[in-house]
Amino acid sequence: APARQNFADRLEAALPPARLALLKLIADRAHRRRLPVYVVGGFVRDLLLNRPSQDFDIVVEGDAIALARALERELGGRVTSHSRFGTAKWHIAEIRASLLKNTLRLDNADLSDLPEYLDFISARTEFYDYPTALPTVERSSIKLDLHRRDFTINTLALRLDGRHYGDLYDYWGGYADLQRGLIRVLHSLSFVDDPTRMLRAVRFEQRFGFQIEDRTLQLMHEARDLLRQVSGDRLRHELELILAEEDPLPALQRLEELQLLESIHPDLHWNPQLNDPMHAALKAPLESAWNLPETWGGAPIRRMLAYLVWFLPLPAEKSANLAQRLRLPHHLREGLKIGAELIPDLPGLLDCAPSRIVARLDGVPLPVIYALFLLNRTSEIAEVLSTYATRWRHIHPVTDGHTLRAMGVSPGPAYRRILWALRAAWLDGEIHSPEEERRLLEQLIPTKPHD
Ligand code: CTP
């Protein structure tokens, strides 16, 4: 039997009182039904590393759905479940107030101290019928449930029920590896079962300042070609988890070093010259005067900037290949294409009048311009792009279509030509006031029919 250490104190210190009380309540109800219950995985790992997180799943050695339903019967809320996976979600958002007041008796606690739902998972094992397939699922012991996980450091469980409260269950050597700082798979087919684990290995290694253990590294070398067969959606998801890390740059560097990026696609690489612009895209404050939107095509702006910074420096064809391989969203693909066409024109814009620059940049999505700004920080190009984004693009004549109509200009292509001529005159400093605009307008307008 594995050594039993108790981490009840750690648990008590890490969780806010309301969350802890709820956890204990669940453990009590499980205990009454003689069901062993645990918190496992990332939550326990982070707790033992003294970087506690708040979110946990409850793993039940037995029927998790039945436990969730019993809680629903006793306390309310609403349970949804997946019988195939033996999982249940107990939705408690609407009963949080009564839970706090009547059940947990925590009058001073805040509603937000409790989660909106809790996941209950029956301990299970999974079989992969063939590499990269979705697994077949079967009920099992906690020990086997933990065995299907990616790395030993993610196989730790803390038991919650009865006298076992706070006991660490360490069946697979996770605690020692956590202390030694090692990322280690549990068996030699782990990366064959799920090649995305190779990207996860790098992510955890760099996040915690750990080392991928030698044998695991060897297995990665042997399995890395399997990344070629993984879907673009799954790979993009893993890459985005990396981009969302506190500091993704060392992980990108390590992926390159381990030849994992080129295993995803031969054109995919990480170049450390991109460290600065990538940091600026993901972490540094965005230039507020640019007024960038928070999302682009529905996706968070920083993530979109990260892809732009990463792929815009590539030849158009390669970036199109990568966009296809990773199934990047439509906006981003278009942006990469537009950006690739713009890049060769940028040096030529340096000596141009503002109106020429605006004519070239209008229609280029602002995130693309910002990414090019970040990629050209040390050149005068950055200055031009920034002036465009913060000043020139906002300069418009007082005159608009309604004015022209009221002046008797018949609608048609002339409108665009006239309005652009006025805007260009403002941009290039040929006019400085509405009066001057008015005078120019009169010169531009063909003789009025009724004159
Ligand atoms: N897991 C796995 N193989 C994967 C993905 C996940 O074995 N390809 C397992 C891991 O053991 C992990 C658990 O499923 O502990 C939950 O996955 P996830 O939520 O991604 O893990 P966390 O460890 O919580 O990661 P993070 O700290 O980044 O949230």
Side-chain angles (χ1 to χ4, degrees):
R4 287 293 143 75
Q5 279 182 278
N6 191 281
F7 287 92
D9 293 352
R10 202 70 81 84
L11 201 54
E12 307 264 327
L15 289 177
R19 247 167 224 256
L20 188 67
L22 179 62
L23 196 61
K24 286 181 168 176
L25 175 81
I26 293 165
D28 175 70
R29 298 310 188 266
H31 186 52
R32 290 190 202 169
R33 303 171 73 89
R34 299 186 188 288
L35 284 173
V37 283
Y38 308 81
V39 280
V40 305
F43 175 82
V44 180
R45 176 197 70 212
D46 293 344
L47 188 74
L48 300 194
L49 285 172
N50 278 316
R51 359 181 344 151
S53 48
Q54 299 290 311
D55 294 311
F56 47 79
D57 302 338
I58 310 275
V59 175
V60 181
E61 213 166 9
D63 189 346
I65 299 177
L67 176 61
R69 293 235 179 267
L71 289 161
E72 177 191 43
R73 273 196 305 276
E74 182 193 340
L75 301 163
R78 188 171 43 87
V79 167
T80 54
S81 64
H82 286 281
S83 49
R84 176 163 128 68
F85 294 102
T87 59
K89 225 183 229 327
W90 183 30
H91 303 266
I92 54 171
E94 305 84 41
I95 60 162
R96 282 184 294 183
S98 94
L99 269 181
L100 283 177
K101 192 160 179 292
N102 307 325
T103 314
L104 307 173
R105 305 205 175 277
L106 290 167
D107 288 323
N108 300 327
D110 211 75
L111 280 197
S112 62
D113 291 342
L114 288 182
E116 297 191 351
Y117 61 83
L118 276 169
D119 285 313
F120 291 79
I121 298 169
S122 305
R124 65 191 197 240
T125 127
E126 295 177 350
F127 302 94
Y128 294 82
D129 292 327
Y130 57 93
T132 75
L134 283 178
T136 308
V137 182
E138 204 167 87
R139 189 80 60 77
S140 84
S141 66
I142 185 76
K143 179 175 175 182
L144 285 181
D145 181 288
L146 295 168
H147 186 66
R148 77 192 155 84
R149 288 158 194 270
D150 47 5
F151 308 113
T152 57
I153 60 164
N154 288 334
T155 64
L156 295 166
L158 281 191
R159 190 160 168 182
L160 302 172
D161 54 294
R163 66 188 167 84
H164 302 286
Y165 177 68
D167 281 354
L168 178 69
Y169 282 65
D170 175 19
Y171 289 106
W172 306 105
Y175 190 64
D177 282 343
L178 205 55
Q179 285 179 317
R180 284 181 293 210
L182 291 177
I183 308 293
R184 183 201 307 268
V185 288
L186 281 89
H187 58 87
S188 61
L189 290 178
S190 189
F191 296 133
V192 178
D193 287 346
D194 180 357
T196 65
R197 287 176 171 172
M198 292 185 266
L199 309 186
R200 290 173 61 86
V202 167
R203 180 158 61 91
F204 290 128
E205 180 193 51
Q206 296 306 310
R207 181 198 294 174
F208 300 127
F210 282 12
Q211 285 282 315
I212 299 172
E213 169 270 338
D214 286 345
R215 170 75 181 136
T216 300
L217 210 50
Q218 180 62 35
L219 293 168
M220 278 170 79
H221 284 300
E222 290 164 18
R224 68 173 183 241
D225 284 347
L226 293 175
L227 284 170
R228 225 163 276 260
Q229 301 165 36
V230 179
S231 75
D233 284 335
R234 293 192 66 205
L235 290 168
R236 193 187 61 251
H237 177 69
E238 288 302 329
L239 288 176
E240 287 172 3
L241 289 176
I242 289 172
L243 294 176
E245 288 287 309
E246 182 82 8
D247 181 7
L249 302 178
L252 292 170
Q253 180 62 46
R254 182 76 158 138
L255 289 174
E256 173 68 23
E257 178 188 314
L258 296 175
Q259 296 173 278
L260 293 175
L261 294 176
E262 64 201 77
S263 301
I264 291 173
H265 188 283
D267 293 336
L268 187 61
H269 287 280
W270 179 251
N271 174 349
Q273 283 180 340
L274 294 178
N275 278 349
D276 283 349
M278 188 58 115
H279 180 266
L282 286 170
K283 295 290 157 190
L286 300 175
E287 300 281 339
S288 59
W290 282 60
N291 267 316
L292 285 160
E294 275 180 30
T295 61
W296 186 40
I301 188 70
R302 286 186 182 275
R303 182 194 296 166
M304 297 296 99
L305 290 172
Y307 281 121
L308 288 168
V309 159
W310 196 351
F311 298 156
L312 273 173
L314 297 175
E317 196 187 286
K318 291 191 178 192
S319 97
N321 291 342
L322 291 176
Q324 172 138 342
R325 174 68 180 101
L326 297 173
R327 290 175 42 97
L328 297 185
H330 176 76
H331 273 69
L332 193 51
R333 271 184 209 221
E334 280 302 302
L336 286 167
K337 207 160 88 192
I338 294 170
E341 285 161 8
L342 172 59
I343 289 170
D345 294 350
L346 287 176
L349 291 182
L350 285 178
D351 305 316
C352 284
S355 63
R356 281 284 299 280
I357 298 172
V358 169
R360 182 64 187 85
L361 295 182
D362 268 1
V364 178
L366 197 60
V368 173
I369 298 180
Y370 194 72
L372 291 170
F373 164 77
L374 297 178
L375 287 163
N376 289 280
R377 265 271 163 87
T378 53
S379 106
E380 291 164 55
I381 289 172
E383 186 71 29
V384 169
L385 296 174
S386 159
T387 309
Y388 166 76
T390 60
R391 297 197 10 234
W392 293 335
R393 83 184 158 104
H394 300 301
I395 293 180
H396 293 281
V398 191
T399 309
D400 62 10
H402 300 290
T403 329
L404 295 182
R405 205 189 176 91
M407 294 175 79
V409 185
S410 35
Y415 274 49
R416 263 179 70 116
R417 203 174 57 240
I418 295 168
L419 293 175
W420 170 250
L422 295 177
R423 187 172 179 218
W426 277 103
L427 285 164
D428 296 339
E430 288 157 9
I431 56 175
H432 309 85
S433 66
E435 295 78 44
E436 288 176 0
E437 179 181 323
R438 188 81 194 170
R439 248 173 280 148
L440 177 58
L441 178 58
E442 267 149 25
Q443 292 167 29
L444 291 170
I445 289 182
T447 331
K448 288 175 215 158
H450 55 263
D451 274 0

